Amino acid sequence: MNARATLPASVQTAFVAFALLLSVSVCSRLTVLVRLNDGQITEELLEADSEKDIITVEFRQTDGTLVTFLSDFKRHVKIFRALVLGEPEKGQSQYQALCFISHLDHGELIPSEAMARLRQKNPHVVRSAEERRGVEEFTMNAVLNMSHSWHISTHIHNVCRDARELVYTRQQDVKYWLDKGVEGSIFEVFPQSLNVTGLQSCSSSTDPWQPCACSYRLNLEWFPCQLKYCRGQGPNPYKCGIKSCSKSYRFDFYTPHKQLCLWDEDT
């Protein structure tokens, strides 16, 4: 008897869409068609390296912004980067790099070794997430010294090099890393006068050269967040596919002047 024929229809559908191969794979590269929040379709690139224990998700938004999300499982660090296209008519450069670093919680994504074995059976199908996880808000009130960022993750320098000296993190993440023995000189916590909760928002500021509190929001519309298990004829369940999720993130952070936060006028 075919064990798969006894599975529920919903599980069989997930099995057909994505399969976990049993062969050992160190690196993988998978391109998935994903429907964005505005209804447009984009290509999402998912890369996994089980030796380095990282997963990278990258895609381009409708407005041209390139979003990169890297999970470093060895160091329990997640890195968000957005390359936002500039507006030369408003005095901006070609693009602006934003980089946000935070602690990676257990279970946010599937393990890198599982991702490295993931194969897509229907590459022309547009994917939508099975579960929407809502919005996570980050108040970024500290910055990292890029020259010593390898103490937290060796991947920060490569991903965030275009952000220069403005690589943001949270005070609670600073405390977490200090408790792990990371040198305190790597971080600069903003003084109370520059705390985003006390600054005027950039969207309401009329002076383009005054410091203000900027907000940026990005959406990960599709990523493998959980393994699925099926039961066959044997006593133990086996891995038979993945569950997909979407999640939104909002970052509030200090910026030296409104010219570095012009997208906030449109939100």
Side-chain angles (χ1 to χ4, degrees):
M1 180 179 177
N2 187 341
R4 186 177 154 195
T6 64
L7 300 176
S10 59
V11 175
Q12 288 190 36
T13 302
F15 190 98
V16 171
F18 289 90
L20 285 163
L21 302 185
L22 296 178
S23 59
V24 176
S25 177
V26 175
C27 301
S28 75
R29 184 183 177 96
L30 191 68
T31 301
V32 179
L33 293 177
V34 175
R35 190 175 301 280
L36 297 174
N37 196 39
D38 60 7
Q40 299 298 310
I41 296 171
T42 190
E43 283 191 349
E44 183 176 280
L45 177 64
L46 298 102
E47 294 182 303
D49 188 323
S50 57
E51 191 173 281
K52 294 180 180 178
D53 207 6
I54 61 171
I55 291 177
T56 305
V57 180
E58 189 167 83
F59 62 95
R60 195 173 294 278
Q61 296 181 162
T62 308
D63 63 2
T65 298
L66 182 66
V67 174
T68 304
F69 173 64
L70 185 143
S71 299
D72 181 349
F73 294 92
K74 279 186 179 178
R75 305 300 296 271
H76 306 288
V77 173
K78 56 188 176 188
I79 306 169
F80 300 87
R81 184 193 66 182
L83 296 180
V84 184
L85 293 180
E87 300 180 57
E89 67 276 11
K90 294 184 179 181
Q92 291 185 316
S93 57
Q94 184 179 3
Y95 67 87
Q96 181 180 343
L98 301 174
C99 229
F100 308 105
I101 315 296
S102 185
H103 172 248
L104 177 67
D105 293 320
H106 177 73
E108 288 193 52
L109 294 91
I110 64 172
S112 62
E113 61 179 34
M115 182 66 211
R117 294 197 299 267
L118 199 64
R119 299 294 181 268
Q120 184 177 197
K121 290 182 176 291
N122 300 299
H124 302 298
V125 173
V126 178
R127 308 292 171 189
S128 295
E130 298 168 69
E131 178 186 328
R132 297 197 171 274
R133 290 188 166 179
V135 181
E136 185 174 1
E137 298 187 354
F138 293 81
T139 298
M140 313 304 279
N141 42 22
V143 291
L144 263 64
N145 183 333
M146 278 284 284
S147 62
H148 298 288
S149 61
W150 59 269
H151 287 283
I152 300 172
S153 171
T154 56
H155 305 286
I156 294 175
H157 187 270
N158 287 336
V159 176
C160 298
R161 60 182 179 272
D162 292 327
R164 299 185 178 89
E165 72 277 4
L166 292 179
V167 178
Y168 295 92
T169 188
R170 300 179 297 177
Q171 200 162 351
Q172 65 200 73
D173 290 314
V174 171
K175 183 180 184 305
Y176 170 84
W177 288 316
L178 291 177
D179 290 343
K180 294 290 183 181
V182 174
E183 181 63 42
S185 60
I186 298 173
F187 310 102
E188 180 185 348
V189 178
F190 291 134
Q192 191 64 34
S193 60
L194 298 182
N195 195 307
V196 294
T197 56
L199 283 173
Q200 184 179 12
S201 67
C202 294
S203 58
S204 63
S205 175
T206 56
D207 187 340
W209 303 108
Q210 279 292 106
C212 53
C214 188
S215 293
Y216 188 79
R217 181 167 175 159
L218 62 84
N219 301 318
L220 295 181
E221 294 292 352
W222 192 96
F223 61 92
C225 57
Q226 190 174 318
L227 295 174
K228 285 185 176 180
Y229 291 85
C230 301
R231 287 194 174 275
Q233 291 178 320
N236 299 318
Y238 61 92
K239 299 172 186 175
C240 59
I242 57 99
K243 178 180 181 180
S244 60
C245 293
S246 69
K247 189 169 182 179
S248 298
Y249 302 86
R250 172 178 165 148
F251 303 94
D252 296 314
F253 56 98
Y254 159 83
T255 188
H257 50 79
K258 184 177 179 176
Q259 283 291 104
L260 296 174
C261 187
L262 291 181
W263 61 80
D264 217 5
E265 295 178 337
D266 303 322
T267 57

